[in-house]
mmCIF file of all heavy atoms in Angstrom:
data_model
loop_
_atom_site.group_PDB
_atom_site.id
_atom_site.type_symbol
_atom_site.label_atom_id
_atom_site.label_comp_id
_atom_site.label_asym_id
_atom_site.label_seq_id
_atom_site.Cartn_x
_atom_site.Cartn_y
_atom_site.Cartn_z
ATOM 1 N N ILE A 240 -6.961 -1.881 -4.313
ATOM 2 C CA ILE A 240 -6.378 -0.561 -4.189
ATOM 3 C C ILE A 240 -4.940 -0.637 -4.748
ATOM 4 O O ILE A 240 -4.269 -1.669 -4.773
ATOM 5 C CB ILE A 240 -6.290 -0.086 -2.688
ATOM 6 C CG1 ILE A 240 -5.476 -0.904 -1.851
ATOM 7 C CG2 ILE A 240 -7.701 0.098 -2.193
ATOM 8 C CD1 ILE A 240 -5.210 -0.293 -0.447
ATOM 9 N N LEU A 241 -4.428 0.532 -5.173
ATOM 10 C CA LEU A 241 -3.120 0.716 -5.609
ATOM 11 C C LEU A 241 -2.506 1.774 -4.710
ATOM 12 O O LEU A 241 -2.968 2.859 -4.610
ATOM 13 C CB LEU A 241 -3.084 1.224 -7.124
ATOM 14 C CG LEU A 241 -1.746 1.627 -7.690
ATOM 15 C CD1 LEU A 241 -0.809 0.435 -7.677
ATOM 16 C CD2 LEU A 241 -1.957 2.227 -9.107
ATOM 17 N N VAL A 242 -1.423 1.320 -4.027
ATOM 18 C CA VAL A 242 -0.654 2.237 -3.163
ATOM 19 C C VAL A 242 0.548 2.748 -3.825
ATOM 20 O O VAL A 242 1.401 1.916 -4.197
ATOM 21 C CB VAL A 242 -0.327 1.502 -1.804
ATOM 22 C CG1 VAL A 242 0.436 2.486 -0.864
ATOM 23 C CG2 VAL A 242 -1.577 0.983 -1.142
ATOM 24 N N VAL A 243 0.741 4.039 -4.023
ATOM 25 C CA VAL A 243 1.808 4.635 -4.717
ATOM 26 C C VAL A 243 2.602 5.517 -3.785
ATOM 27 O O VAL A 243 2.201 6.604 -3.398
ATOM 28 C CB VAL A 243 1.359 5.417 -5.931
ATOM 29 C CG1 VAL A 243 2.541 5.861 -6.797
ATOM 30 C CG2 VAL A 243 0.378 4.601 -6.792
ATOM 31 N N ASP A 244 3.795 5.029 -3.319
ATOM 32 C CA ASP A 244 4.559 5.757 -2.407
ATOM 33 C C ASP A 244 6.026 5.198 -2.498
ATOM 34 O O ASP A 244 6.197 3.958 -2.619
ATOM 35 C CB ASP A 244 4.089 5.611 -0.969
ATOM 36 C CG ASP A 244 4.674 6.697 0.030
ATOM 37 O OD1 ASP A 244 5.893 6.741 0.122
ATOM 38 O OD2 ASP A 244 3.874 7.501 0.438
ATOM 39 N N ASP A 245 7.018 6.080 -2.530
ATOM 40 C CA ASP A 245 8.379 5.683 -2.646
ATOM 41 C C ASP A 245 8.980 5.074 -1.339
ATOM 42 O O ASP A 245 10.077 4.609 -1.283
ATOM 43 C CB ASP A 245 9.323 6.751 -3.229
ATOM 44 C CG ASP A 245 9.254 8.012 -2.449
ATOM 45 O OD1 ASP A 245 8.431 8.143 -1.482
ATOM 46 O OD2 ASP A 245 10.079 8.959 -2.747
ATOM 47 N N ASN A 246 8.206 5.223 -0.283
ATOM 48 C CA ASN A 246 8.677 4.760 1.075
ATOM 49 C C ASN A 246 7.990 3.394 1.376
ATOM 50 O O ASN A 246 6.778 3.335 1.595
ATOM 51 C CB ASN A 246 8.353 5.772 2.060
ATOM 52 C CG ASN A 246 8.888 5.444 3.481
ATOM 53 O OD1 ASN A 246 9.043 4.275 3.875
ATOM 54 N ND2 ASN A 246 9.212 6.465 4.233
ATOM 55 N N PRO A 247 8.806 2.319 1.481
ATOM 56 C CA PRO A 247 8.182 1.059 1.740
ATOM 57 C C PRO A 247 7.541 0.956 3.181
ATOM 58 O O PRO A 247 6.540 0.262 3.291
ATOM 59 C CB PRO A 247 9.382 0.040 1.595
ATOM 60 C CG PRO A 247 10.610 0.859 1.754
ATOM 61 C CD PRO A 247 10.208 2.268 1.270
ATOM 62 N N ASN A 248 8.002 1.738 4.088
ATOM 63 C CA ASN A 248 7.395 1.750 5.420
ATOM 64 C C ASN A 248 6.028 2.378 5.348
ATOM 65 O O ASN A 248 5.074 1.908 6.028
ATOM 66 C CB ASN A 248 8.228 2.468 6.415
ATOM 67 C CG ASN A 248 9.524 1.756 6.677
ATOM 68 O OD1 ASN A 248 9.612 0.499 6.683
ATOM 69 N ND2 ASN A 248 10.633 2.471 6.908
ATOM 70 N N VAL A 249 5.791 3.406 4.563
ATOM 71 C CA VAL A 249 4.465 4.058 4.447
ATOM 72 C C VAL A 249 3.553 3.048 3.736
ATOM 73 O O VAL A 249 2.355 2.907 4.143
ATOM 74 C CB VAL A 249 4.625 5.352 3.655
ATOM 75 C CG1 VAL A 249 3.237 5.907 3.368
ATOM 76 C CG2 VAL A 249 5.395 6.390 4.497
ATOM 77 N N ARG A 250 4.051 2.444 2.694
ATOM 78 C CA ARG A 250 3.178 1.425 1.986
ATOM 79 C C ARG A 250 2.777 0.321 2.941
ATOM 80 O O ARG A 250 1.613 -0.084 2.970
ATOM 81 C CB ARG A 250 3.893 0.863 0.788
ATOM 82 C CG ARG A 250 4.179 1.786 -0.348
ATOM 83 C CD ARG A 250 4.552 1.175 -1.692
ATOM 84 N NE ARG A 250 5.596 0.198 -1.539
ATOM 85 C CZ ARG A 250 6.894 0.374 -1.664
ATOM 86 N NH1 ARG A 250 7.330 1.646 -1.857
ATOM 87 N NH2 ARG A 250 7.798 -0.526 -1.547
ATOM 88 N N ARG A 251 3.674 -0.124 3.834
ATOM 89 C CA ARG A 251 3.322 -1.206 4.766
ATOM 90 C C ARG A 251 2.293 -0.648 5.810
ATOM 91 O O ARG A 251 1.372 -1.407 6.141
ATOM 92 C CB ARG A 251 4.627 -1.583 5.498
ATOM 93 C CG ARG A 251 4.486 -2.878 6.278
ATOM 94 C CD ARG A 251 5.878 -3.360 6.832
ATOM 95 N NE ARG A 251 6.884 -3.372 5.878
ATOM 96 C CZ ARG A 251 8.017 -2.574 5.914
ATOM 97 N NH1 ARG A 251 8.202 -1.734 6.854
ATOM 98 N NH2 ARG A 251 8.981 -2.678 4.984
ATOM 99 N N MET A 252 2.499 0.561 6.280
ATOM 100 C CA MET A 252 1.538 1.143 7.232
ATOM 101 C C MET A 252 0.107 1.217 6.669
ATOM 102 O O MET A 252 -0.864 0.898 7.227
ATOM 103 C CB MET A 252 1.915 2.506 7.737
ATOM 104 C CG MET A 252 3.022 2.380 8.839
ATOM 105 S SD MET A 252 3.313 3.992 9.663
ATOM 106 C CE MET A 252 3.859 5.044 8.251
ATOM 107 N N ILE A 253 0.041 1.745 5.390
ATOM 108 C CA ILE A 253 -1.258 1.876 4.716
ATOM 109 C C ILE A 253 -1.859 0.503 4.577
ATOM 110 O O ILE A 253 -3.091 0.349 4.864
ATOM 111 C CB ILE A 253 -1.116 2.583 3.355
ATOM 112 C CG1 ILE A 253 -0.763 4.039 3.497
ATOM 113 C CG2 ILE A 253 -2.413 2.439 2.497
ATOM 114 C CD1 ILE A 253 -0.377 4.801 2.323
ATOM 115 N N LYS A 254 -1.119 -0.518 4.194
ATOM 116 C CA LYS A 254 -1.695 -1.833 4.008
ATOM 117 C C LYS A 254 -2.235 -2.372 5.311
ATOM 118 O O LYS A 254 -3.277 -3.026 5.331
ATOM 119 C CB LYS A 254 -0.641 -2.733 3.412
ATOM 120 C CG LYS A 254 -0.340 -2.489 1.948
ATOM 121 C CD LYS A 254 0.461 -3.543 1.260
ATOM 122 C CE LYS A 254 1.728 -3.879 2.044
ATOM 123 N NZ LYS A 254 2.632 -4.839 1.272
ATOM 124 N N SER A 255 -1.507 -2.135 6.447
ATOM 125 C CA SER A 255 -1.955 -2.645 7.691
ATOM 126 C C SER A 255 -3.269 -1.913 8.168
ATOM 127 O O SER A 255 -4.102 -2.536 8.792
ATOM 128 C CB SER A 255 -0.883 -2.474 8.770
ATOM 129 O OG SER A 255 -0.601 -1.202 9.128
ATOM 130 N N ILE A 256 -3.392 -0.661 7.865
ATOM 131 C CA ILE A 256 -4.577 0.112 8.234
ATOM 132 C C ILE A 256 -5.816 -0.278 7.465
ATOM 133 O O ILE A 256 -6.866 -0.305 7.955
ATOM 134 C CB ILE A 256 -4.218 1.583 8.189
ATOM 135 C CG1 ILE A 256 -3.258 2.023 9.278
ATOM 136 C CG2 ILE A 256 -5.565 2.522 8.270
ATOM 137 C CD1 ILE A 256 -2.704 3.474 9.110
ATOM 138 N N VAL A 257 -5.617 -0.530 6.166
ATOM 139 C CA VAL A 257 -6.817 -0.843 5.349
ATOM 140 C C VAL A 257 -6.986 -2.272 4.958
ATOM 141 O O VAL A 257 -7.893 -2.645 4.246
ATOM 142 C CB VAL A 257 -6.837 0.076 4.014
ATOM 143 C CG1 VAL A 257 -6.728 1.509 4.422
ATOM 144 C CG2 VAL A 257 -5.660 -0.301 3.105
ATOM 145 N N GLY A 258 -6.076 -3.079 5.369
ATOM 146 C CA GLY A 258 -5.975 -4.479 4.998
ATOM 147 C C GLY A 258 -7.280 -5.239 5.088
ATOM 148 O O GLY A 258 -7.564 -6.001 4.154
ATOM 149 N N ASN A 259 -7.996 -5.056 6.101
ATOM 150 C CA ASN A 259 -9.280 -5.853 6.259
ATOM 151 C C ASN A 259 -10.422 -5.278 5.436
ATOM 152 O O ASN A 259 -11.504 -5.808 5.393
ATOM 153 C CB ASN A 259 -9.703 -5.939 7.732
ATOM 154 C CG ASN A 259 -10.028 -4.580 8.331
ATOM 155 O OD1 ASN A 259 -9.558 -3.563 7.876
ATOM 156 N ND2 ASN A 259 -10.800 -4.663 9.406
ATOM 157 N N LEU A 260 -10.175 -4.158 4.771
ATOM 158 C CA LEU A 260 -11.273 -3.552 3.861
ATOM 159 C C LEU A 260 -11.090 -3.966 2.427
ATOM 160 O O LEU A 260 -11.957 -3.712 1.596
ATOM 161 C CB LEU A 260 -11.163 -2.012 3.937
ATOM 162 C CG LEU A 260 -11.493 -1.360 5.392
ATOM 163 C CD1 LEU A 260 -11.287 0.082 5.220
ATOM 164 C CD2 LEU A 260 -12.827 -1.721 5.856
ATOM 165 N N VAL A 261 -9.923 -4.495 2.033
ATOM 166 C CA VAL A 261 -9.590 -4.692 0.661
ATOM 167 C C VAL A 261 -9.311 -6.150 0.378
ATOM 168 O O VAL A 261 -8.826 -6.860 1.230
ATOM 169 C CB VAL A 261 -8.429 -3.895 0.146
ATOM 170 C CG1 VAL A 261 -8.809 -2.328 0.331
ATOM 171 C CG2 VAL A 261 -7.151 -4.136 0.846
ATOM 172 N N GLU A 262 -9.566 -6.583 -0.868
ATOM 173 C CA GLU A 262 -9.187 -7.973 -1.336
ATOM 174 C C GLU A 262 -7.790 -7.978 -1.970
ATOM 175 O O GLU A 262 -7.103 -9.026 -1.760
ATOM 176 C CB GLU A 262 -10.174 -8.440 -2.312
ATOM 177 C CG GLU A 262 -11.581 -8.783 -1.741
ATOM 178 C CD GLU A 262 -12.494 -7.535 -1.762
ATOM 179 O OE1 GLU A 262 -12.483 -6.743 -2.756
ATOM 180 O OE2 GLU A 262 -13.225 -7.271 -0.778
ATOM 181 N N GLU A 263 -7.469 -6.952 -2.646
ATOM 182 C CA GLU A 263 -6.178 -6.969 -3.337
ATOM 183 C C GLU A 263 -5.475 -5.574 -3.181
ATOM 184 O O GLU A 263 -6.145 -4.533 -3.237
ATOM 185 C CB GLU A 263 -6.354 -7.243 -4.843
ATOM 186 C CG GLU A 263 -6.985 -8.617 -5.132
ATOM 187 C CD GLU A 263 -7.186 -8.800 -6.652
ATOM 188 O OE1 GLU A 263 -6.153 -8.634 -7.381
ATOM 189 O OE2 GLU A 263 -8.329 -9.052 -7.044
ATOM 190 N N VAL A 264 -4.143 -5.662 -2.943
ATOM 191 C CA VAL A 264 -3.315 -4.386 -2.839
ATOM 192 C C VAL A 264 -2.261 -4.531 -3.830
ATOM 193 O O VAL A 264 -1.462 -5.508 -3.828
ATOM 194 C CB VAL A 264 -2.822 -4.267 -1.424
ATOM 195 C CG1 VAL A 264 -1.898 -2.971 -1.379
ATOM 196 C CG2 VAL A 264 -3.910 -4.245 -0.393
ATOM 197 N N TYR A 265 -2.085 -3.531 -4.641
ATOM 198 C CA TYR A 265 -0.988 -3.377 -5.618
ATOM 199 C C TYR A 265 -0.124 -2.235 -5.153
ATOM 200 O O TYR A 265 -0.605 -1.229 -4.534
ATOM 201 C CB TYR A 265 -1.433 -3.159 -7.061
ATOM 202 C CG TYR A 265 -2.377 -4.231 -7.512
ATOM 203 C CD1 TYR A 265 -3.815 -3.995 -7.449
ATOM 204 C CD2 TYR A 265 -1.936 -5.502 -7.869
ATOM 205 C CE1 TYR A 265 -4.745 -5.013 -7.834
ATOM 206 C CE2 TYR A 265 -2.845 -6.541 -8.235
ATOM 207 C CZ TYR A 265 -4.192 -6.207 -8.273
ATOM 208 O OH TYR A 265 -5.117 -7.159 -8.617
ATOM 209 N N GLU A 266 1.224 -2.321 -5.426
ATOM 210 C CA GLU A 266 2.098 -1.300 -4.919
ATOM 211 C C GLU A 266 3.000 -0.821 -6.055
ATOM 212 O O GLU A 266 3.382 -1.536 -6.908
ATOM 213 C CB GLU A 266 3.009 -1.782 -3.829
ATOM 214 C CG GLU A 266 2.279 -2.275 -2.603
ATOM 215 C CD GLU A 266 3.314 -2.741 -1.523
ATOM 216 O OE1 GLU A 266 4.262 -2.070 -1.302
ATOM 217 O OE2 GLU A 266 3.014 -3.797 -0.928
ATOM 218 N N CYS A 267 3.280 0.565 -6.008
ATOM 219 C CA CYS A 267 4.239 1.184 -6.904
ATOM 220 C C CYS A 267 5.072 2.176 -6.146
ATOM 221 O O CYS A 267 4.656 2.636 -5.068
ATOM 222 C CB CYS A 267 3.531 1.963 -8.021
ATOM 223 S SG CYS A 267 2.504 0.929 -9.129
ATOM 224 N N THR A 268 6.233 2.491 -6.661
ATOM 225 C CA THR A 268 7.064 3.430 -6.012
ATOM 226 C C THR A 268 7.161 4.818 -6.643
ATOM 227 O O THR A 268 7.876 5.688 -6.211
ATOM 228 C CB THR A 268 8.505 2.848 -5.865
ATOM 229 O OG1 THR A 268 9.034 2.662 -7.171
ATOM 230 C CG2 THR A 268 8.528 1.544 -5.105
ATOM 231 N N ASP A 269 6.445 4.977 -7.779
ATOM 232 C CA ASP A 269 6.603 6.185 -8.565
ATOM 233 C C ASP A 269 5.252 6.402 -9.352
ATOM 234 O O ASP A 269 4.632 5.434 -9.734
ATOM 235 C CB ASP A 269 7.806 6.056 -9.505
ATOM 236 C CG ASP A 269 8.075 7.431 -10.163
ATOM 237 O OD1 ASP A 269 8.656 8.343 -9.563
ATOM 238 O OD2 ASP A 269 7.685 7.495 -11.370
ATOM 239 N N GLY A 270 5.029 7.656 -9.716
ATOM 240 C CA GLY A 270 3.864 8.042 -10.466
ATOM 241 C C GLY A 270 3.846 7.340 -11.869
ATOM 242 O O GLY A 270 2.750 6.930 -12.308
#
């Protein structure tokens, strides 16, 4: 998954919620 959000706390929450469903998480702060 790719998580795109300018708020690092939101990215962290999303990763904690879906973490056991995914093998890899990439992050960006802007479109």
